[in-house]
Amino acid sequence: MPENVGTVRRPAVDGAPPFDLTYVRSGPRTATPVLIIPGGPGLASVLPYRGLRRRATGGGLDVIMVEHRGIGRSRHDLAGRVLPSEAMRVTAVLDDLAAVLDAEGVERAHVVGSSYGSYLASGFGARHPDRVAGMLLDSALQSTGDLAWERARLRSLFWDADDDIAGGVRRLVDDGIDERVVLDVVRAAWELVGPELVRPLVRHRPGLAWRALAAYATRDASIARIPGIYEFDVVGSIAFRELHYGAPPDGLPLDPALTYAPLAPRFPAFAGEPYDLAAAASGFTWPLVLLSGDRDLRTPPEIADRVARTAPDATLVRLRNGHSALDTHPMALLNAARRLVRGRQDLLPAEEAALDRLPRPGLSASFPRILLPLARVDALVHARRPRR
């Protein structure tokens, strides 16, 4: 079934030209579609998730995805200029989503958000509760205060533990490798594959697998931009101004606040969150599904646990996965979304093992098949080097 690409004329900021917000709808038309919101900020919707929408359509889902303002086909105003930083506000993005539902004649939708998209999904519930039929939060991001849980989980695994992994990480830092790079690489290896990759990665000096992960995960003062796929340069203002990506380091080892530190001078300072989403969850009266990966280090499982305790009608689903099932285990997310749409989300906890066994298509899901052989090559090279 062909996709329908539409636009909605939206305001940017006072005194500036408006812009055309692009969205795409696919699958059989229903009264209550599934609105899927990717992570980021920076990920586009139209190009990167064509395969996801094709699989969703094959499973009978009616899917809407919106190109985030400042990204891809929603990047420029009618005068051809890139949208300004002042136009990047969470509330404006939430109202963009509501405008797309209006354009499609949709009163309510099942809102599915992953990572930053889960923050928008919860925010949409707080701002437009009458538009939500059901909600799925994948790798739930809820509060800037949850950085404390992120720090604790990272350090318990990679610094404070009395095992070969933490010992290897400490040795790499002692050898002079930038602590921020060590954190980014080890965290990515853990989330994408698990300890079977982290263990050989920290045992030897950095090799092919390390360099591949560093290219994937490490950020520097430049801002990588892949047009139509990933564009952080404009929407990063939301990340720093409202999500506190520039949080001050606490001075202890392996601080995730260091990850975005090189970019902080280029964006606005933190001004505060638009909503208290941790509290707002108590008013979520619709069915809520939470997907939580056991290897998720950026939105640790404790966050999903808290939401499940707070929301009146929550179903918690634990996956053997890292961060963002939308990107690393999309078939599990789509099957969970189908259960939600059909009102059978209560079956999901008993189906966790079956969800884990589903195929994992997509680029991120292919990383284990690439990285593990590279790590084995690195181990062979290291073994053949003469000892000093």
Side-chain angles (χ1 to χ4, degrees):
M1 183 175 294
E3 294 190 324
N4 174 46
V5 178
T7 60
V8 180
R9 185 68 45 85
R10 296 290 298 150
V13 290
D14 291 341
F19 71 102
D20 283 338
L21 180 78
T22 299
Y23 67 93
V24 61
R25 188 172 186 178
S26 60
R29 295 296 187 269
T30 64
T32 314
V34 178
L35 174 65
I36 299 181
I37 312 170
L43 276 170
S45 290
V46 174
L47 290 179
Y49 293 98
R50 288 177 298 184
L52 177 90
R53 291 191 297 272
R54 185 174 64 251
R55 296 180 188 98
T57 297
L61 290 178
D62 176 9
V63 171
I64 296 175
M65 297 188 76
V66 180
E67 193 90 311
H68 194 295
R69 58 171 54 206
I71 300 173
R73 301 187 186 189
S74 302
R75 183 175 173 84
H76 297 89
D77 64 23
L78 297 184
R81 294 187 294 261
V82 175
L83 296 183
S85 168
E86 292 76 17
M88 300 301 128
R89 304 278 179 174
V90 166
T91 52
V93 176
L94 301 179
D95 290 344
D96 287 344
L97 299 174
V100 168
L101 296 186
D102 290 341
E104 287 293 304
V106 173
E107 292 186 7
R108 297 194 306 156
H110 296 280
V111 184
V112 175
S114 178
S115 189
Y116 165 66
S118 77
Y119 193 95
L120 295 179
S122 292
F124 190 82
R127 190 170 179 84
H128 300 286
D130 57 321
R131 311 300 298 267
V132 181
M135 185 176 290
L136 188 155
L137 303 181
D138 164 32
S139 298
L141 177 66
Q142 293 279 291
S143 168
T144 61
D146 294 339
L147 177 62
W149 274 335
E150 189 180 356
R151 283 169 166 155
R153 188 163 176 82
L154 283 165
R155 288 163 179 160
S156 68
L157 286 170
F158 302 134
W159 195 262
D160 298 330
D162 184 19
D163 60 21
D164 55 342
I165 288 179
V169 169
R170 293 192 295 265
R171 178 185 59 79
L172 291 171
V173 174
D174 288 343
D175 287 346
I177 299 177
D178 187 326
E179 184 180 317
R180 182 176 61 86
V181 175
V182 172
L183 168 63
D184 290 344
V185 169
V186 172
R187 175 173 53 193
W190 184 272
E191 288 188 333
L192 290 170
V193 181
E196 61 268 35
L197 176 60
V198 177
R199 191 166 283 109
L201 200 67
V202 301
R203 185 179 300 145
H204 313 302
R205 70 187 73 184
L208 294 172
W210 182 280
R211 288 194 289 272
L213 282 163
Y216 165 79
T218 302
R219 294 160 181 85
D220 56 24
S222 64
I223 300 177
R225 177 174 172 245
I226 307 173
I229 304 293
Y230 178 78
E231 300 176 83
F232 186 83
D233 55 333
V234 177
V235 297
S237 293
I238 288 176
F240 284 88
R241 181 164 48 215
E242 298 183 86
L243 303 182
H244 212 189
Y245 274 35
D250 65 359
L252 299 177
L254 300 186
D255 189 353
L258 297 173
T259 297
Y260 284 91
L263 298 178
R266 304 181 61 168
F267 292 100
F270 180 59
E273 294 187 76
Y275 298 101
D276 182 350
L277 295 181
S282 64
F284 290 177
T285 57
W286 47 82
L288 173 65
V289 173
L290 295 143
L291 299 186
S292 179
D294 63 350
R295 299 194 314 274
D296 192 345
L297 302 178
R298 282 170 281 185
T299 52
E302 290 87 348
I303 301 174
D305 293 345
R306 182 188 63 210
V307 179
R309 292 192 302 269
T310 304
D313 185 7
T315 301
L316 179 60
V317 183
R318 302 188 188 278
L319 299 176
R320 295 177 60 84
N321 199 55
H323 186 69
S324 179
L326 178 68
D327 296 298
T328 59
H329 201 359
M331 296 304 294
L333 180 137
L334 291 176
N335 276 271
R338 273 192 287 271
R339 287 295 195 202
L340 176 64
V341 168
R342 294 167 183 169
R344 299 311 312 271
Q345 65 275 2
D346 58 300
L347 299 176
L348 286 168
E351 296 174 342
E352 288 175 348
L355 293 173
D356 286 327
R357 290 194 297 268
L358 290 171
R360 297 183 183 234
L363 178 60
S364 295
S366 69
F367 283 156
R369 297 191 297 271
I370 299 169
L371 293 169
L372 285 170
L374 287 179
R376 286 193 286 269
V377 171
D378 292 337
L380 289 172
V381 171
H382 179 82
R384 291 175 181 174
R385 282 180 176 147
R387 295 183 180 272
R388 297 195 177 194

